[in-house]
Amino acid sequence: MSIDSMFTHKMWDEDELSKMVDGGVPFPMLSDAGGKVGTVYGVYDEDAGVEARGRFIIDPDGVVQGYEVLTPPVGRNVNETFRQLQAFQLVRETKGGEATPSGWRPGKATLKPGIDLVGKVWKEWKTEQAFD
Amino acid sequence: MPEEAAIGCARPTGGPVGEEPDSKTADKQQPEKKELSMIKVSQKAPDFTAPGFHKGEFINTKLSDYLGKWVLLCFYPGDFTFV
């Protein structure tokens, strides 16, 4: 979503993005001319007239689980977005029975919050796991 | 899911979905600007409608049409910008 019109989205997709991604952009490119939606989400810069690089993870109940907002010159880390999405999906599937510690990615160990884990995380999770 | 949009010469736009603030009380308290609360995690994402382009068609879309699915909502500064 950006302040560009859907007409500009069409031209950008057809003229440039389809040369980067086969078949063009697979998801809807939305128009927020005037920045009304961006204002509600706190990403619209009124002075510049554009929206910051905001990214919101919204669950199937319509609840915001996470967000990130960057200024324009720095691009996103899409892999990190997918990692977070996978983590939120796992937490949802286990109904909160499992939690994903720092550095978690699919396949790595989760934590099972409960009374037995209090003060024992050091046994279950090592600092190196945040970085490997 | 998104419905196909009729094409005119105007530049269509969408906006937030929901009740307008009570104009009387809003005028008294905030004469110039509406106070907007920050997005918070664990709270509902504000619903909105927006026109757009998707796979060769112009569409109208509404966030709440995606209830039941995970949504990644991404904003960016503009088409044809570099990053």
Side-chain angles (χ1 to χ4, degrees), chain A residues 1-18 24-25 27-33 51, chain B residues 11-12 50-59 61 74-80:
Chain A
M1 171 172 275
S2 73
I3 48 88
D4 299 284
S5 71
M6 58 191 192
F7 307 121
T8 312
H9 285 336
K10 178 177 186 290
M11 297 309 293
W12 193 30
D13 189 40
E14 291 179 354
D15 289 0
E16 187 170 34
L17 299 180
S18 58
V25 174
F27 46 78
M29 301 169 74
L30 303 181
S31 172
D32 185 26
E51 286 163 350
Chain B
R11 259 183 68 163
F53 177 73
H54 186 212
K55 294 192 171 196
E57 287 179 353
F58 291 123
I59 57 164
T61 191
C74 294
F75 295 85
Y76 61 97
D79 294 351
F80 296 104

Side-chain angles (χ1 to χ4, degrees), chain B residues 33-74:
Chain B
K33 276 192 167 179
K34 277 186 276 180
E35 183 115 350
L36 287 161
S37 57
M38 276 292 294
I39 294 283
K40 288 184 181 143
V41 292
S42 300
Q43 292 192 359
K44 284 263 182 189
D47 197 15
F48 62 82
T49 62
F53 177 73
H54 186 212
K55 294 192 171 196
E57 287 179 353
F58 291 123
I59 57 164
N60 281 311
T61 191
K62 191 176 183 187
L63 179 64
S64 52
D65 288 345
Y66 291 86
L67 284 172
K69 294 184 173 199
W70 288 87
V71 172
L72 285 174
L73 174 63
C74 294

